């Protein structure tokens, strides 16, 4: 039997804050941006954490509390349902766990994970954040007594998962970009790594200009509606089957 005939097309998806907007989580560059009048470089940079770890822990605990009240929306759920027909891999700039809670199988976080903290002295020691952890600020300590930091890629820090993300983009039969302003690199460059001729779909109600990239179909809709439009396009045999 030709096993290739049984191979599901690989659908690689790059998501940004916009996919979580309809779950009530504000995006970074909206007018009332996520930074809640904290200067970005005070709460999301390596220098900021070195200067005032208590402030940074407080900022991330506030984001964790907001995330606890949020639920995955239909865009997250449709991505999970596409696993029936596609080999779906999600590369996300988001640090929320909504893709996980929607049940997606393959998720690669480029900018870290909000619900995790890691040891300052041993980066391989990572803990899930609990109610108790959230309550103990300023400098959260792990169960092993280590001083901890958010398991987040701060500005000024390298993006350790960018290599596997590039490999995923290069392996895509179909590449989908959802809800990102494409201003933060290296994540924004991923769509340049897809193989020539790979169909690209960009779902965003206010999309960035991707004129320079061949083969992009822009779906100028919010993520939940845009995912339904994408599914009907894919079902229409428009791509990748
Ligand atoms: N559905 C889809 N997209 C939406 C929706 C929605 N309902 N609402 C807003 N958007 C789009 C906006 O038009 C914008 O293009 O989501 C995008 C959000 O862009 P940003 O706020 O810049 O978020 P993102 O691109 O994920 O930021 C990248 O920047 O601040 C850093 O590390 C942070 O991961 C983040 C990175």
């Amino acid at each position: 039997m030709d096993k290739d005939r049984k191979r599901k097309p690989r659908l690689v998806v790059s998501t940004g804050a916009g996919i979580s907007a309809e779950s009530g989580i504000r995006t970074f560059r909206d007018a009332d941006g996520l930074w809640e009048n904290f200067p970005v470089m005070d709460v999301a940079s390596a220098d900021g954490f070195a200067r005032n770890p208590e402030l940074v822990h407080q900022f991330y605990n506030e984001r964790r509390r907001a995330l606890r009240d949020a639920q995955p929306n239909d865009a997250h759920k449709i991505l999970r349902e596409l696993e029936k027909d596609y080999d779906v891999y999600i590369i996300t700039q988001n640090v929320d766990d909504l893709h996980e809670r929607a049940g997606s199988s393959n998720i690669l976080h480029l900018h870290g994970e909000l619900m995790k903290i890691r040891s300052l002295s041993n980066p391989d020691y990572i803990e899930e954040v609990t109610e108790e952890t959230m309550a103990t600020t300023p400098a959260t300590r792990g169960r092993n007594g280590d001083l901890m930091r958010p398991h987040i890629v701060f500005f000024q820090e390298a993006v350790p998962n960018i290599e596997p993300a590039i490999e995923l983009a290069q392996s895509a039969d179909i590449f989908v970009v959802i809800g990102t302003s494409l201003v933060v690199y290296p994540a924004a460059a991923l769509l340049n790594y897809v193989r020539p001729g790979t169909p690209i779909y960009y779902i965003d109600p206010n999309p960035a200009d991707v004129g320079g990239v061949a083969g992009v179909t822009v779906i100028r809709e919010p993520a939940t509606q845009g995912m339904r439009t994408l599914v009907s396009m894919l079902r229409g045999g428009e791509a990748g089957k």
Side-chain angles (χ1 to χ4, degrees), residues 16-18 21-22 27-29 35 93 111 179-181 184 204-206 222-223:
E22 290 162 274
T27 65
F28 294 96
R29 285 165 189 81
W35 308 99
Q93 297 171 78
H111 296 164
T180 175
S181 58
V184 173
D204 193 307
N206 179 23

Side-chain angles (χ1 to χ4, degrees), residues 56-147:
V56 173
H57 280 297
Q58 178 197 335
F59 173 70
Y60 283 97
N61 277 340
E62 283 177 26
R63 292 180 67 184
R64 291 178 185 119
R65 278 189 275 275
L67 176 56
R68 201 179 40 191
D69 301 334
Q71 296 301 324
N73 61 55
D74 283 352
H76 298 101
K77 293 173 187 170
I78 293 169
L79 277 179
R80 181 211 49 220
E81 284 151 24
L82 281 172
E83 292 185 13
K84 285 197 283 288
D85 297 318
Y86 295 89
D87 189 23
V88 181
Y89 282 79
I90 297 171
I91 305 162
T92 187
Q93 297 171 78
N94 299 339
V95 295
D96 66 52
D97 60 353
L98 296 178
H99 284 305
E100 285 84 353
R101 283 159 56 190
S104 285
S105 308
N106 306 306
I107 304 160
L108 182 66
H109 283 272
L110 283 182
H111 296 164
E113 298 180 63
L114 187 55
M115 298 314 290
K116 292 180 178 174
I117 48 178
R118 73 167 183 265
S119 164
L120 283 171
S121 53
N122 169 15
D124 295 330
Y125 181 75
I126 296 168
E127 283 185 6
E128 291 284 336
V129 172
T130 62
E131 295 293 327
E132 186 264 337
T133 317
M134 285 169 71
T136 59
T137 52
T140 303
R141 285 192 182 276
R143 286 188 288 276
N144 67 352
D146 282 4
L147 275 178

Side-chain angles (χ1 to χ4, degrees), residues 15-22 26-30 35 40 93-95 111 153 155 178-184 187 202-208 221-224:
T15 66
I19 196 170
S20 298
E22 290 162 274
R26 281 171 293 185
T27 65
F28 294 96
R29 285 165 189 81
D30 276 353
W35 308 99
V40 174
Q93 297 171 78
N94 299 339
V95 295
H111 296 164
V153 178
F155 285 106
I178 309 171
T180 175
S181 58
L182 294 171
V183 298
V184 173
Y202 178 21
I203 300 171
D204 193 307
N206 179 23
E221 295 171 344
T224 53

